[in-house]
Amino acid sequence: MKSIFRAISWCQQLGIPQLSVYDVEGIILNNVETIREGVVTESPFKDSEFDRRHIHYPPTPPSSDYSESRPLSPQEDVSGGHIPFLTLCIPPLQSASRASKTPQSLTLNVLSREASKPAIASVARAIARTERRNSKFGVKDHGFKLSVNNLESYLEEKNGLAPPDFMIIHPVHPSKYHRSPIGLHGYPPWQIRLTEIYCNRFRKQYEARLMWFLPSHVSSTLLSSSFTEWEFREALDQFASAEFRLGK
Amino acid sequence: MDGNRRYARGKGKLVQEGHGDGYLALRRVLEICLRLNIRCVSVYAFAIDNFKRPQEEVTALMQLAESKLMELCSHGDLLQEYGVKLNVIGRRSLFPESVQAAVRKAEELTEGNNRSILNVCMPYSSRDEITTAVEDCIREVLAPANDFMSNDPIEEISEDTINSHLMSVKQGSPPLDILVRTSGVKRLSDFMLWQCCENTQLHFSNTYWPDFGLFDFVPIILEWQRSVWFRRQDVWLRDSHSRNR
């Protein structure tokens, strides 16, 4: 939670309009009340074209005990499809020194695995139902065709999930035995086509080696790390130096 | 297989030569994989977006594809030696007819092979693969025969259904264990998004593809083996812990 609050505050300071946080087990989703109490008023949100960040938390080790993730959210769109995730609108910071910039509110998306492949399946079912309804009303069947742009509009626009420009993978509980290779843990695949990915594993590897000799329950607690400003700055440096050629 | 052009520019070579060296790297790394008994290798040879490149380069790439496909599949060459079945994954109707013919011929030549699979993704886009899979799923459930089944077939569409309709999976590819992106880019760029977003290790290498070889590859394989070993350890420890209770 500390990591999330920090991320929210840094994004606000930088004027980043949209932040998504993801963890596969839905822990963040279960603790959304904490976030709400911390920063937020819920209100309808507007999608933004600019810089979108995403922070993604890999699953915690099996010894930890977590409750089932809560199912669907208020953001279901019945007509088009279902991408279950929660969106909060966080009002801008009160900051006198930034008077020259128009303060922008931060849209926070809270995602779990439900917003990933299951959501694509859900959209597929919704499209199939619409198609079946149309063919029953006598619309001539030319063989069903679905274009990439069509599916994209269901998954990304309106009540869909916009693709993030940048992704930071932050393991909250680095493994006590070894650095885990980078993995995406089920983050919605469609949206990450062009997302720059950052994951710093080496720092954690070094700390992990230091903790080798401690009993596991102690080292897990000591090693679990919040998202630091250093990490955030390094991530932004990587993003700034990335070159996008887009196939050309 | 990213970085051919930057590699070429760095060495004062033509872009086409960079792609040629890229092909040599492919042979080199493919042979390493096959010797390690890796059962399925997929390479991103040409993206649908790559048609936006200058016409000269695209034409050169098409010619490279035609000649090298036949080379790889010919008698005595790499794929035959290791019993590798070639699958070309992508929207091949976008290719000129001569390339399509070469693709068909190459696939025929290796049809009977069953020790390993080589997926050459061209012209490929993961979103295109996912969309086609979804389209196929929907077409299937809308087929008239399904209208009177007791379970509504539409409700049967799940992530597993879509997965099984992916072009690569339909042609026998197992789940993806490792994904390597070369040339220092830290993005997926529309490659196997569905397959790699879960249970896949991502490795970003700074080496340009034509330079990629054993030196770059071995640490990746070792890390994968190590993580598999540790995962087995974790399972064993957990099982013995619950047995001792």
Side-chain angles (χ1 to χ4, degrees):
Chain A
M1 282 296 130
K2 214 194 290 182
S3 303
I4 295 181
F5 283 123
R6 283 189 195 162
I8 292 174
S9 108
W10 294 329
C11 286
Q12 283 179 303
Q13 285 174 34
L14 289 173
I16 293 166
Q18 195 170 153
L19 170 69
S20 302
V21 291
Y22 171 88
D23 79 292
V24 67
E25 289 151 355
I27 297 164
I28 307 174
L29 212 48
N30 283 343
N31 288 292
V32 116
E33 287 312 313
T34 319
I35 302 178
R36 268 210 192 101
E37 281 157 26
V39 280
V40 127
T41 17
E42 193 170 347
S43 52
F45 70 103
K46 245 169 59 179
D47 218 331
S48 170
E49 290 309 305
F50 304 120
D51 225 14
R52 290 182 200 98
R53 298 305 157 97
H54 146 85
I55 297 190
H56 154 197
Y57 298 93
T60 49
S63 51
S64 312
D65 212 23
Y66 291 102
S67 54
E68 292 289 318
S69 74
R70 220 188 286 145
L72 308 178
S73 72
Q75 288 300 319
E76 241 178 290
D77 173 25
V78 187
S79 57
H82 303 255
I83 311 227
F85 66 96
L86 197 59
T87 299
L88 306 175
C89 190
I90 301 178
L93 290 173
Q94 314 299 324
S95 179
S97 58
R98 292 195 174 267
S100 50
K101 277 192 186 170
T102 353
Q104 217 173 354
S105 58
L106 173 69
T107 303
L108 178 72
N109 299 318
V110 182
L111 316 171
S112 69
R113 200 182 174 278
E114 285 302 308
S116 177
K117 291 175 182 176
I120 299 181
S122 173
V123 166
R125 290 192 294 269
I127 297 173
R129 277 182 223 118
T130 314
E131 195 56 32
R132 182 166 61 184
R133 259 201 312 269
N134 289 342
S135 61
K136 278 199 175 137
F137 288 129
V139 172
K140 193 141 181 246
D141 178 38
H142 292 286
F144 174 71
K145 280 202 187 312
L146 180 65
S147 74
V148 173
N149 287 339
N150 214 339
L151 189 51
E152 180 183 66
S153 66
Y154 281 115
L155 290 170
E156 291 184 10
E157 293 166 19
K158 266 202 269 177
N159 291 317
L161 180 64
D165 296 311
F166 185 44
M167 176 193 290
I168 299 172
I169 302 178
H170 175 79
V172 175
H173 291 286
S175 164
K176 54 187 183 291
Y177 297 123
H178 57 282
R179 55 185 163 143
S180 326
I182 303 175
L184 295 173
H185 305 104
Y187 189 83
W190 184 271
Q191 281 76 2
I192 53 176
R193 174 174 73 116
L194 294 175
T195 305
E196 181 80 11
I197 298 171
Y198 169 85
C199 179
N200 185 345
R201 304 145 52 215
F202 296 107
R203 198 167 55 95
K204 292 174 179 63
Q205 177 207 2
Y206 177 64
E207 288 169 4
R209 285 214 194 105
L210 288 179
M211 302 294 175
W212 186 283
F213 55 91
L214 289 175
S216 56
H217 60 274
V218 177
S219 63
S220 285
T221 331
L222 284 175
L223 273 184
S224 85
S225 60
S226 303
F227 187 46
T228 62
E229 188 172 343
W230 182 89
E231 201 175 336
F232 192 58
R233 283 179 189 278
E234 216 197 39
L236 290 179
D237 284 343
Q238 182 193 302
F239 183 61
S241 63
E243 243 182 80
F244 284 77
R245 282 171 296 275
L246 299 172
K248 291 193 270 255
Chain B
M1 299 198 291
D2 199 16
N4 294 345
R5 293 181 299 174
R6 279 166 283 161
Y7 160 89
R9 280 195 287 269
K11 302 224 173 213
K13 293 184 178 185
L14 290 173
V15 157
Q16 281 83 317
E17 288 176 82
H19 289 309
D21 289 350
Y23 169 71
L24 295 175
L26 168 60
R27 291 188 64 99
R28 194 168 59 233
V29 177
L30 183 58
E31 183 150 21
I32 297 170
C33 291
L34 296 172
R35 285 204 187 177
L36 290 173
N37 268 323
I38 292 175
R39 282 292 129 92
C40 183
V41 179
S42 304
V43 296
Y44 200 2
F46 192 85
I48 293 180
D49 275 348
N50 290 154
F51 281 115
K52 293 184 207 162
R53 289 191 181 180
Q55 190 53 49
E56 203 189 313
E57 188 184 339
V58 175
T59 311
L61 281 167
M62 295 295 107
Q63 283 165 356
L64 190 69
E66 247 185 273
S67 58
K68 298 310 179 184
L69 269 177
M70 294 318 298
E71 186 183 300
L72 270 176
C73 301
S74 61
H75 182 70
D77 205 278
L78 206 51
L79 298 193
Q80 303 295 22
E81 189 189 334
Y82 287 94
V84 183
K85 180 171 182 293
L86 175 81
N87 294 329
V88 172
I89 312 276
R91 204 168 267 282
R92 53 182 83 180
S93 56
L94 296 174
F95 276 151
E97 179 52 43
S98 56
V99 178
Q100 291 190 48
V103 162
R104 277 192 297 268
K105 189 88 202 292
E107 284 180 323
E108 263 167 50
L109 282 172
T110 57
E111 223 168 12
N113 295 343
N114 57 10
R115 272 173 57 193
S116 289
I117 292 174
L118 172 64
N119 291 321
V120 178
C121 297
M122 63 178 204
Y124 179 86
S125 126
S126 180
R127 285 188 167 187
D128 186 61
E129 190 185 20
I130 297 173
T131 306
T132 309
V134 169
E135 187 186 76
D136 288 346
C137 285
I138 296 178
R139 275 222 190 106
E140 255 177 39
V141 302
L142 291 180
N146 285 320
D147 271 342
F148 303 103
M149 305 277 276
S150 47
N151 286 331
D152 185 359
I154 288 184
E155 300 311 315
E156 303 296 311
I157 298 180
S158 66
E159 55 178 289
D160 291 331
T161 327
I162 298 178
N163 188 71
S164 62
H165 281 77
L166 291 171
M167 250 183 277
S168 49
V169 174
K170 272 202 297 201
Q171 307 218 38
S173 299
L176 188 60
D177 295 308
I178 302 176
L179 185 143
V180 180
R181 172 85 197 243
T182 55
S183 84
V185 174
K186 298 189 169 56
R187 292 187 293 275
L188 299 173
S189 300
D190 220 347
F191 185 64
M192 297 205 158
L193 302 173
W194 179 283
Q195 292 88 329
C196 81
C197 77
E198 216 160 12
N199 300 321
T200 301
Q201 292 183 7
L202 303 185
H203 292 264
F204 297 111
S205 168
N206 288 330
T207 312
Y208 292 135
W209 174 249
D211 286 324
F212 195 84
L214 204 56
F215 184 71
D216 305 280
F217 199 41
V218 164
I220 294 174
I221 297 290
L222 284 179
E223 188 166 337
W224 185 80
Q225 286 182 323
R226 197 168 64 137
S227 68
V228 168
W229 190 80
F230 278 124
R231 216 180 307 148
R232 284 195 199 138
Q233 286 284 89
D234 284 345
V235 170
W236 183 85
L237 278 173
R238 210 180 335 142
D239 287 347
S240 63
H241 186 68
S242 48
R243 275 198 297 273
N244 289 336
R245 276 201 184 150

